[in-house]
Amino acid sequence: MITLIVVLFCGTAVLVDAALGRSPHADEIEQLFQRPVNARISNSILIDAVLDVPLLVRKYRYPLEVHHVRTTDGYILGMHRIPHGRGRNNGADLDRPVVFLMHGLLSSSADWVLMGPGSAFAYVLADQGYDVWMGNARGNYYSRNHTILNPDTVPLFWNFSWDEIGNIDLPTMITYVLRHTGKERLHYIGHSQGTTAFFVMGSLRPEYNEKIISMHALAPVAYMAHSGSHLIKSISELSNPLYTLTRMVGIGEFLPNHKLVTWAGQVLCREKAISQPMCSNILFLLGGWNEDQHNATMVPVKLGHTPAGASVKQFAHYGQSMSEGQFRRFDHGSLLGNILLYGTPQPPRYDLSKVTSPVFLHYSPSDALADVRDVDRLFAELGRPVGKFRIPDDRFGHLDFIWGIDANKIVYERVINLLRAMDVHG
Ligand SMILES: *[C@@H]1O[C@H](CO)[C@@H](O)[C@H](O)[C@H]1NC(C)=O
Ligand SMILES: *[C@@H]1O[C@H](CO)[C@@H](O)[C@H](O)[C@H]1NC(C)=O
Ligand SMILES: *[C@@H]1O[C@H](CO)[C@@H](O)[C@H](O)[C@H]1NC(C)=O
């Protein structure tokens, strides 16, 4: 690994040869942003775009461990750990509280590192003395594996939504982390779907609430009755028929051939247009941001790592949340289907009062996917809501929580203060 990185620093256009160690869209990034077409993009940015999470973190000289854990239903999940900070005062010899980070829809652990040291949350936490673990949901680039079901050939692999991510993946990963570190409890920080899945876990597997010192929901998503733009609304109305259709033709993975980036790139990002709004809009579709918070230089890195994979059913389940205005289990669409599975004609609600871990919500009034009214309702129904913090920038968008230029200053600093307070008093 080390030699590979050294070679990288000296090399130029062709970045990593090994199939291993590459980001989900490394091939497309190399095609798209190759010199001399895009001579303005630095080598360092290109390298960050094509390295996978372990190599990317090691490039910045932070320690990184890869852990695999198997769920009861056979999925093999990849976790990434930054056990401590770098440099002389890295805190390696201290007793460090554990923080577990969970990414959003179509994302991966890369979300927490791709903006680099000093900005990305995982590095900031490691430098502040935390033992940082990053989960990956079933089906994404680092968790696209199963003991029997081949994700490329067996559509049944993709028969899951964020219900299973919350009900099975999170408990499995959290149990593993606690066992491995010998701790009894940890902090949980989620973004977007990483918050949805947490609320699923807390309501369906309430015994896990005791294992959580504090939970921080960045851009919290549970109720979606007021979500979104017209575009998101129309997508949500289409999602059920779309789900049925894709199931009929045996497609379970969202954008299975990963060619979205190539397509978007060729149509929209050619020439020196990399900072052109249309080009970055392909990422914008994932949730939206505020242009002031958007670092256009980093577009290749974001495109190299995102989208990282998901099932169609995850979208269908969110579509149901939007059109039904409820936070409940997957609706199988037929009386019989629901009765067979749940014993009731309607899918059961996730009982938020059972989520008894201390929860802090961090939200923004201009987040298209977490409307203030929905956030208020969530807060009111949670079993132990502790704090609700409005981001002190009214134009902060859904993706700014992870990629925003000021995220460290206006979100992470507050979260870290709360973690400290909970470590002392919690
Ligand atoms: C998937 O898991 C199997 C069984 O643990 C392992 O042998 C294989 O190398 C894994 N494949 C990938 C692509 O990680
Ligand atoms: C897909 O998962 C659901 C929920 O666990 C289950 O009821 C259903 O039988 C599964 N579908 C197939 C084809 O196995
Ligand atoms: C944007 O990203 C580049 C490359 O990482 C960095 O050098 C620059 O300082 C960033 N700009 C802002 C405003 O943070």
Side-chain angles (χ1 to χ4, degrees):
M1 291 296 184
I2 301 295
T3 29
L4 185 57
I5 296 171
V6 173
V7 172
L8 278 174
F9 283 130
C10 312
T12 48
V14 177
L15 299 161
V16 195
D17 273 334
L20 283 175
R22 287 166 65 85
S23 69
H25 304 292
D27 294 348
E28 294 97 317
I29 290 292
E30 280 172 353
Q31 280 173 29
L32 266 178
F33 297 116
Q34 232 165 30
R35 290 145 192 279
V37 182
N38 270 296
R40 292 184 313 153
I41 300 169
S42 77
N43 251 345
S44 174
I45 292 284
L46 278 181
I47 291 170
D48 288 9
V50 303
L51 293 181
D52 72 355
V53 167
L55 287 189
L56 180 58
V57 172
R58 287 176 191 141
K59 176 191 158 187
Y60 288 103
R61 310 202 182 288
Y62 279 80
L64 186 113
E65 296 173 10
V66 178
H67 294 260
H68 287 102
V69 60
R70 194 191 306 166
T71 67
T72 47
D73 55 352
Y75 290 84
I76 299 165
L77 311 177
M79 281 184 288
H80 297 135
R81 177 194 194 190
I82 303 178
H84 57 78
R86 66 178 173 184
R88 202 186 299 259
N89 300 314
N90 60 29
D93 49 343
L94 301 175
D95 181 40
R96 283 152 291 113
V98 173
V99 179
F100 186 86
L101 304 176
M102 193 61 190
H103 63 81
L105 181 64
L106 282 176
S107 284
S108 72
S109 49
D111 271 7
W112 308 105
V113 296
L114 66 76
M115 294 303 287
S119 300
F121 207 1
Y123 296 121
V124 173
L125 285 163
D127 289 335
Q128 291 291 329
Y130 287 93
D131 177 4
V132 182
W133 290 75
M134 297 172 272
N136 281 296
R138 58 180 64 193
N140 91 358
Y141 189 65
Y142 301 102
S143 296
R144 202 174 176 281
N145 199 2
H146 190 281
T147 48
I148 346 173
L149 307 174
N150 181 337
D152 292 319
T153 53
V154 186
L156 201 55
F157 175 94
W158 298 101
N159 183 27
F160 62 84
S161 76
W162 36 261
D163 183 282
E164 285 80 3
I165 295 170
N167 194 13
I168 306 171
D169 294 354
L170 289 183
T172 307
M173 291 190 284
I174 288 171
T175 301
Y176 177 93
V177 171
L178 293 178
R179 234 178 244 158
H180 190 88
T181 57
K183 302 274 188 216
E184 280 173 17
R185 302 191 304 154
L186 50 72
H187 294 286
Y188 183 103
I189 300 173
H191 175 246
S192 189
Q193 180 189 269
T195 75
T196 316
F198 181 89
F199 299 130
V200 170
M201 176 181 77
S203 67
L204 296 182
R205 311 284 299 274
E207 68 275 17
Y208 277 84
N209 287 302
E210 288 160 28
K211 303 181 194 296
I212 307 298
I213 307 167
S214 72
M215 186 277 188
H216 298 267
L218 312 184
V221 177
Y223 290 109
M224 301 190 81
H226 301 96
S227 261
S229 56
H230 287 299
L231 175 70
I232 293 170
K233 283 244 159 64
S234 12
I235 293 175
S236 82
E237 272 152 33
L238 279 177
S239 68
N240 258 335
L242 210 62
Y243 173 62
T244 313
L245 185 73
T246 53
R247 211 172 32 156
M248 271 161 44
V249 298
I251 303 170
E253 185 173 17
F254 182 78
L255 296 170
N257 54 9
H258 291 291
K259 288 292 177 262
L260 175 74
V261 176
T262 314
W263 170 81
Q266 274 159 5
V267 179
L268 306 167
C269 311
R270 265 290 176 215
E271 311 281 302
K272 44 193 178 301
I274 166 174
S275 56
Q276 165 185 315
M278 277 303 277
C279 170
S280 14
N281 272 2
I282 198 73
L283 290 168
F284 191 87
L285 281 177
L286 296 180
W289 60 54
N290 165 7
E291 270 314 309
D292 298 346
Q293 290 294 330
H294 173 52
N295 188 340
T297 312
M298 296 298 285
V299 166
V301 185
K302 296 174 186 175
L303 285 173
H305 293 272
T306 333
S311 71
V312 178
K313 201 168 175 179
Q314 282 167 259
F315 286 84
H317 201 173
Y318 274 132
Q320 294 173 0
S321 300
M322 288 186 207
S323 54
E324 295 162 7
Q326 299 291 333
F327 183 47
R328 55 188 193 186
R329 303 195 72 179
F330 193 82
D331 189 345
H332 289 269
S334 67
L335 281 182
L336 193 63
N338 287 334
I339 287 174
L340 282 178
L341 202 60
Y342 307 120
T344 48
Q346 298 285 330
R349 298 173 51 248
Y350 295 109
D351 185 352
L352 288 166
S353 71
K354 289 193 175 151
V355 183
T356 53
S357 23
V359 173
F360 297 83
L361 306 182
H362 304 263
Y363 71 101
S364 164
S366 44
D367 185 338
L369 293 175
D371 187 274
V372 177
R373 287 163 288 181
D374 293 327
V375 171
D376 286 343
R377 181 173 173 198
L378 164 65
F379 193 71
E381 293 183 12
L382 281 167
R384 198 169 156 206
V386 185
K388 182 157 66 76
F389 298 101
R390 180 178 169 135
I391 301 301
D393 172 353
D394 276 356
R395 291 180 305 160
F396 213 69
H398 195 72
L399 292 174
D400 295 332
F401 284 87
I402 44 165
W403 295 340
I405 289 169
D406 298 323
N408 189 13
K409 203 169 66 202
I410 64 184
V411 187
Y412 307 159
E413 275 184 15
R414 166 142 60 198
V415 172
I416 288 171
N417 286 336
L418 293 167
L419 297 180
R420 291 242 162 80
M422 295 301 288
D423 283 331
V424 175
H425 303 292

